[in-house]
Amino acid sequence: MASKVEVPCIKVAILTVSDRCHAKKAEDKSGSKLRQLISENIFFPGQVVHQDCVPDEVNAIKEKLLAWADSKEVDLILTTGGTGFSPRDVTPEATREILDREAPGLNIAMVTSSLEITPLAMLSRPSCGIRGGTLIVNLPGSSKAATECLRFVAGALPHAVDLLQGRMDTVEVTHREMQVAVAMKEVRDKASPLREAPPSVTKPHIHRSNSLVDETQVANRLRKSPFPMISVAAAVDIVLKEADMLNTHVISYKDALGHVLADDVYAKDALPPFPASVKDGYAVVAADGAGNRKVLGHSTAGSKPDFGEVIPGHCIRISTGAPVPKGADAVIEVEQTELVKSADEGRTELEVKILHPPTIGQDIRPVGCDIKANNKVLSAQSWIGPSEVGLLATIGVTKVKVYKKPVVAIVSTGNELVDPGVQLKRGQIRDSNRCMIESLLEQGNFEVIDMGIIKDTPGSILEALTNAMEKADVVVTTGGVSMGEKDLLKQVLQIDLRARIHFGRVFMKPGKPTTFATVNTEIGKKLFFCLPGNPVSAMVTCNLYVVPALRKLSSRLRARNTIIKAKLGFTIDLDPRPEYHRAIVSWVEGDDLPVGETTGVQDSSRLLSTRSANGLLLLPAKTDEQASLPAGHVVDCMIIGRM
Ligand SMILES: Nc1nc2c(c(=O)[nH]1)N[C@H]1C(S)=C(S)[C@@H](COP(=O)(O)OP(=O)(O)OC[C@H]3O[C@@H](n4cnc5c(N)ncnc54)[C@H](O)[C@@H]3O)O[C@H]1N2
Ligand code: MOO
Ligand SMILES: [Mg+2]
């Protein structure tokens, strides 16, 4: 049975043209990079069906292109290399010889876009075109340039392939979407207040609630998402790349919990600052050995000693943590002594017997044995947890330079939502997302601002987002990102806020419509995580994307989530999308790996599937070869709670 794929997958062949790679004198980095971009659906849903490398020879290139194009198994051939000015660069010439029709628009798109990056792009000579039902695109040889050029034309490639393959239903949808997109762009361009702002900088205060999104066009709304479906790995990479570390500031050690240190921290003085007793007992002269000692006085922690120097044949009573007096070089615990003589009805100790001979230094912490004066106690970049707060206190460092932590504004969108304490009317449900996400982030020591519930109208969305980005570095919304007529978040971001939407769909379950955007404002870059409204999807995607981004913004060394191996405690039918299966993960005595037990039905709406879940089992997408996984199968597991 064929696996169920949601979007047509482009069959891609990759040809590296390089004398050096072919002779194995250089690594084929561009070919590997292109393979990764296609396999991970970075630009469009794709599948690599062939990959090869040939030298810079016209005949070798032609032979491969002909074989692949005429096999009818390939929709798109990407060549990399041989498009420059050196005498051996002949890929365009070889390509042209086998083309039925040229596609110069693709060449122009790649070169003009590349010129914005480097003037040397004018020396690139790609030759793109069509042979039969196969589109051939010449990309440059360097991995970076090949990636960039593919990105410049990637948006048009699925449509080009649909046209070549005669998939008229998909072609029609795209045409209609293009019309809507053009109309949206016209509206955007007419937005005079925004035109005053430099293109990449949004003034956060200029146009609140004055949205240009036209929500009335329900019949003309997009019927296919214009956002390519990208992999989770690619989405996480994008998020972490966009999450820049914040500035530093100096704060009290008491407020430092959960921050990352910006500077190394040194001890001003030694710990202990005096030789201290490890035991409750007697400070003695070790050379006296076992036997009777006269008790000179006592030393308790924090008290002034009532004695001078300990001399041979004498001792002083001492408590744990108290300074060891001069002359004494060992401490004998009280259990190793007997009382010989006392006075004042037991109020004064006059003489004790040491039962075992002590050794020099016994039960004494020398000065600086825990922390030496001027030693580095904490390194820059280290995370401040409870122990680190204690360490700062113990060395007397009361002010520390730390990286700022991001402030996160949380918004729930949905006409149907009411606060949990409100009596439900028909059609209403309680807002569970906001408090859940707030709790999740507070648990991670991040500062959150509750921005309430907003209606599904462009005006309220714009107003809320504008307010939120004035107050916070990161805005997390839930709801309104899928295909419904009231799902207006992406449009408000794009049209009103001129946001850069980095992705709007991810190949995962739950969480497919997860949207990530950035807006450059006069008060800095703002990150928008627009999570799906389904509570489980919101919870899972907050763990997957928001939490790592917040760690990166706070300069934590390890931003990514922890992934361990775990055994499935159950048999599971796989989903067409990679699934993040909520599970209770625990160690079973005698077993080599933790076992993940399912939390039951995994519907995105069923919040009970997150109850007590401390792990997400990463289940692969269903394929023809693998439709289910048996109990005991070992999978990756993302830790999201206490083990
Ligand atoms: N035609 C399509 N429909 C849908 C698609 C699709 O690809 N094509 N994707 C589905 C997937 S997958 C998801 S996930 C959801 C995401 O929807 P939205 O992000 O647009 O969210 P809403 O439509 O606003 O709400 C969805 C669902 O969640 C409930 N909800 C919303 N907010 C809250 C909250 N704060 N607390 C509790 N529950 C909440 C809401 O009432 C809806 O039931 O779209 C699918 N549809
Ligand atoms: O991706 Mo949605 O989150 O399945 O329900
Ligand atoms: Mg929706």
Side-chain angles (χ1 to χ4, degrees):
M1 195 182 71
S3 71
K4 186 179 158 202
V5 275
E6 301 196 326
V7 269
C9 195
I10 300 181
K11 286 175 272 166
V12 183
I14 299 166
L15 183 63
T16 303
V17 183
S18 158
D19 287 334
R20 285 175 55 73
C21 290
H22 183 256
K24 307 266 184 277
K25 288 184 183 151
E27 193 189 335
D28 177 12
K29 288 190 183 149
S30 318
S32 313
K33 181 70 190 174
L34 290 173
R35 182 179 195 97
Q36 182 211 339
L37 294 170
I38 302 300
S39 309
E40 292 183 5
N41 301 322
I42 302 293
F43 297 126
F44 45 76
Q47 180 197 358
V48 178
V49 290
H50 295 293
Q51 182 170 9
D52 213 335
C53 178
V54 291
D56 292 282
E57 305 280 357
V58 170
N59 285 341
I61 301 168
K62 274 171 59 183
E63 198 180 307
K64 204 43 88 178
L65 294 181
L66 283 171
W68 285 347
D70 295 349
S71 71
K72 310 254 185 293
E73 286 167 4
V74 179
D75 300 323
L76 171 67
I77 301 176
L78 301 174
T79 70
T80 167
T83 59
F85 271 41
S86 88
R88 298 276 302 158
D89 287 335
V90 293
T91 307
E93 286 67 29
T95 306
R96 266 199 303 279
E97 281 190 34
I98 60 104
L99 290 181
D100 298 334
R101 292 176 290 160
E102 295 199 27
L106 290 171
N107 309 338
I108 295 168
M110 286 194 281
V111 174
T112 43
S113 301
S114 302
L115 280 171
E116 287 181 19
I117 299 171
T118 164
L120 292 180
M122 65 181 89
L123 304 184
S124 182
R125 315 176 299 112
S127 185
C128 302
I130 300 153
R131 181 178 175 89
T134 305
L135 177 63
I136 302 173
V137 175
N138 286 167
L139 299 169
S142 93
S143 156
K144 178 174 175 290
T147 307
E148 282 162 3
C149 284
L150 180 58
R151 175 154 52 87
F152 297 141
V153 296
L157 297 184
H159 184 52
V161 168
D162 286 342
L163 286 164
L164 286 177
Q165 306 287 333
R167 292 182 200 134
M168 291 323 289
D169 46 343
T170 330
V171 166
E172 254 173 51
V173 170
T174 310
H175 280 160
R176 271 227 302 286
E177 283 169 3
M178 289 305 292
Q179 285 161 7
V180 175
V182 168
M184 275 163 58
K185 185 174 182 306
E186 276 170 10
V187 173
R188 188 168 57 206
D189 291 347
K190 279 186 202 141
S192 53
L194 281 173
R195 266 195 283 167
E196 287 159 18
S200 57
V201 176
T202 300
K203 294 184 177 180
H205 53 275
I206 48 178
H207 49 99
R208 73 178 80 231
S209 83
N210 205 3
S211 174
L212 298 164
V213 173
D214 183 359
E215 56 173 329
T216 60
Q217 288 293 307
V218 285
N220 285 332
R221 75 183 198 276
L222 300 184
R223 272 160 209 277
K224 210 175 82 181
S225 172
F227 295 94
M229 181 103 82
I230 68 169
S231 67
V232 170
V236 172
D237 284 350
I238 292 172
V239 163
L240 291 181
K241 185 165 162 279
E242 289 299 319
D244 307 319
M245 295 170 177
L246 299 175
N247 290 334
T248 58
H249 62 164
V250 174
I251 57 171
S252 161
Y253 75 106
K254 282 189 179 170
D255 303 322
L257 182 70
H259 284 82
V260 172
L261 271 175
D263 287 339
D264 295 338
V265 173
Y266 292 86
K268 288 187 281 198
D269 27 45
L271 189 78
F274 47 81
S277 176
V278 178
K279 295 280 174 64
D280 299 312
Y282 296 88
V284 299
V285 178
D288 286 346
N292 291 5
R293 303 282 201 291
K294 291 204 163 48
V295 181
L296 287 171
H298 71 272
S299 172
T300 54
S303 71
K304 275 201 184 146
D306 65 344
F307 53 83
E309 201 173 318
V310 179
I311 48 171
H314 293 72
C315 67
I316 62 120
R317 207 165 60 247
I318 196 162
S319 320
T320 305
V324 175
K326 269 200 186 139
D329 58 5
V331 167
I332 291 286
E333 59 183 16
V334 67
E335 293 90 330
Q336 304 298 327
T337 65
E338 282 171 3
L339 178 67
V340 177
K341 202 188 288 175
S342 64
D344 300 338
E345 295 171 334
R347 287 191 198 94
T348 309
E349 257 181 355
L350 295 176
E351 198 169 326
V352 291
K353 183 177 179 188
I354 308 299
L355 299 179
H356 300 288
T359 54
I360 291 179
Q362 172 179 316
D363 279 341
I364 295 176
R365 290 158 61 216
V367 172
C369 75
D370 293 340
I371 298 172
K372 294 199 170 37
N374 304 319
N375 259 21
K376 195 203 285 184
V377 174
L378 296 170
S379 299
Q381 306 304 325
S382 51
W383 185 71
I384 304 179
S387 301
E388 288 71 19
V389 173
L391 276 167
L392 290 170
T394 205
I395 60 172
V397 173
T398 55
K399 297 270 177 215
V400 277
K401 196 199 233 184
V402 294
Y403 291 97
K404 284 187 178 162
K405 284 200 296 186
V407 177
V408 192
I410 300 171
V411 185
S412 281
T413 74
N415 292 340
E416 75 280 30
L417 302 178
V418 291
D419 275 321
V422 173
Q423 185 66 38
L424 293 183
K425 294 198 190 116
R426 193 178 155 73
Q428 294 183 328
I429 59 160
R430 298 186 187 96
D431 173 10
S432 54
N433 291 353
R434 203 162 27 110
C435 58
M436 183 170 60
I437 288 174
E438 276 168 23
S439 308
L440 176 63
L441 300 186
E442 276 167 355
Q443 184 181 277
N445 268 305
F446 299 109
E447 190 183 322
V448 299
I449 307 177
D450 181 349
M451 303 290 292
I453 300 170
I454 58 158
K455 295 286 177 204
D456 291 316
T457 64
S460 9
I461 297 173
L462 177 57
E463 184 170 9
L465 296 190
T466 315
N467 285 342
M469 70 181 183
E470 271 177 11
K471 295 192 173 84
D473 307 292
V474 177
V475 182
V476 179
T477 66
T478 60
V481 283
S482 195
M483 298 298 292
E485 61 190 274
K486 295 289 176 195
D487 293 338
L488 302 165
L489 254 145
K490 284 170 161 125
Q491 290 188 58
V492 171
L493 280 170
Q494 228 164 12
I495 296 176
D496 295 321
L497 293 180
R498 298 196 155 190
R500 176 155 178 230
I501 299 194
H502 298 271
F503 56 84
R505 275 196 311 160
V506 189
F507 194 41
M508 64 181 295
K509 182 183 181 233
K512 185 176 68 169
T514 304
T515 300
F516 172 62
T518 50
V519 176
N520 289 327
T521 75
E522 290 172 336
I523 51 169
K525 179 158 114 181
K526 306 291 173 174
L527 272 57
F528 288 81
F529 292 90
C530 301
L531 311 180
N534 276 321
V536 180
S537 318
M539 180 65 169
V540 168
T541 55
C542 191
N543 271 296
L544 247 73
Y545 305 111
V546 183
V547 173
L550 297 181
R551 290 195 199 113
K552 171 85 186 297
L553 285 161
S554 340
S555 298
R556 294 227 200 132
L557 277 180
R558 276 174 295 279
R560 288 172 190 270
N561 288 325
T562 301
I563 310 259
I564 61 166
K565 295 279 179 206
K567 280 186 191 170
L568 291 180
F570 54 100
T571 297
I572 178 87
D573 288 338
L574 296 173
D575 190 88
R577 285 181 266 164
E579 190 188 357
Y580 289 72
H581 195 107
R582 282 74 70 198
I584 299 167
V585 185
S586 59
W587 290 86
V588 175
E589 211 181 323
D591 215 345
D592 52 344
L593 282 174
V595 174
E597 295 294 349
T598 182
T599 51
V601 176
Q602 297 284 301
D603 291 348
S604 311
S605 55
R606 187 176 169 262
L607 199 49
L608 276 174
S609 74
T610 64
R611 186 177 58 187
S612 306
N614 56 357
L616 296 174
L617 300 169
L618 277 48
L619 307 181
K622 178 180 170 182
T623 59
D624 288 346
E625 293 74 38
Q626 195 176 39
S628 64
L629 294 180
H633 191 88
V634 176
V635 295
D636 282 343
C637 173
M638 183 180 290
I639 299 303
I640 58 163
R642 292 171 78 94
M643 282 280 285

